Amino acid sequence: SYELTQPPSVSVSPGQTASITCSGDKLGDKYVCWYRQRPGQSPILVIYQNNRRPSGIPERFSGSNSGNTATLTISGTQVLDEADYYCQAWDSSAGGVFGGGTKLTVL
Amino acid sequence: QVQLVESGGGLVRPGGSLRLSCATSGFTFSDYYMTWIRQAPGKGLEWVSYISSVAGSRYYADSVKGRFTISRDNARKSLYLQMNSLRAEDTAVYYCARYVVVAPAAYADYFGQGTLVTVSS
């Protein structure tokens, strides 16, 4: 089976840059997307195809993917960015694999 | 605007069955793949299954293969998940989502509000 690994938590001060990583074997050969989920809410897509933003997602959200690691970067982090973030990639054997999620704390 | 509304969740005993439905509006349903994603209480997201736009392809996570069946009715703009032989570990909020597949990329761009399935005796 294919696995994606994320750090359980990341902390950042308001206005600083937050980086959330997602690791998997040869992940750079796959397309990665990222979801944000606030408590009690459904997930929303914030990055797709490694580095593309859906309409309505602020420019401060960006993504990259190379080697074994994909990274979600949030520049000028705001308190409202506090949420759980999940990476996902498609694997031909395992299907739509999710990372375990990262709780982003802004304080 | 795109809307996805799940229904059919509830309490069911281990070994029992349940059928989830997802009613959609705001987009051309027959043009899109669709997917089910679940989230156990206090846990992360888990992809469950997807179905292609004309139901020619269906894919399942190993954890549900042989027990769950995904289907769709393009005339009714609805997605379904038939869940049989339910286990305690199937307890979760089940989300219906629109699935964009541009091989090899795939991502869910809209989610419903979810429906809770509880498997317990």
Side-chain angles (χ1 to χ4, degrees), chain A residues 2-6 22-25 27 30 32-33 68 87-90 96-101:
Chain A
Y2 191 79
E3 295 185 359
L4 295 176
T5 301
Q6 298 180 235
C22 173
S23 299
D25 185 49
L27 185 57
K30 304 180 186 299
V32 174
C33 60
N68 294 323
C87 61
Q88 185 190 25
W90 178 262
V97 180
F98 280 97

Side-chain angles (χ1 to χ4, degrees), chain A residues 15-91:
Chain A
Q16 298 304 302
T17 297
S19 295
I20 299 173
T21 58
C22 173
S23 299
D25 185 49
K26 297 180 181 178
L27 185 57
D29 293 341
K30 304 180 186 299
Y31 281 103
V32 174
C33 60
W34 292 88
Y35 303 94
R36 177 184 72 198
Q37 187 179 34
R38 293 179 174 138
Q41 297 186 13
S42 301
I44 70 161
L45 181 70
V46 295
I47 293 288
Y48 66 99
Q49 291 183 243
N50 295 332
N51 54 19
R52 306 185 72 165
R53 278 179 294 105
S55 60
I57 300 301
E59 289 185 10
R60 65 177 185 275
F61 285 83
S62 63
S64 64
N65 184 20
S66 179
N68 294 323
T69 303
T71 302
L72 173 69
T73 302
I74 308 172
S75 305
T77 306
Q78 300 180 9
V79 173
L80 55 82
D81 296 327
E82 194 164 275
D84 293 327
Y85 290 84
Y86 295 89
C87 61
Q88 185 190 25
W90 178 262
D91 179 78

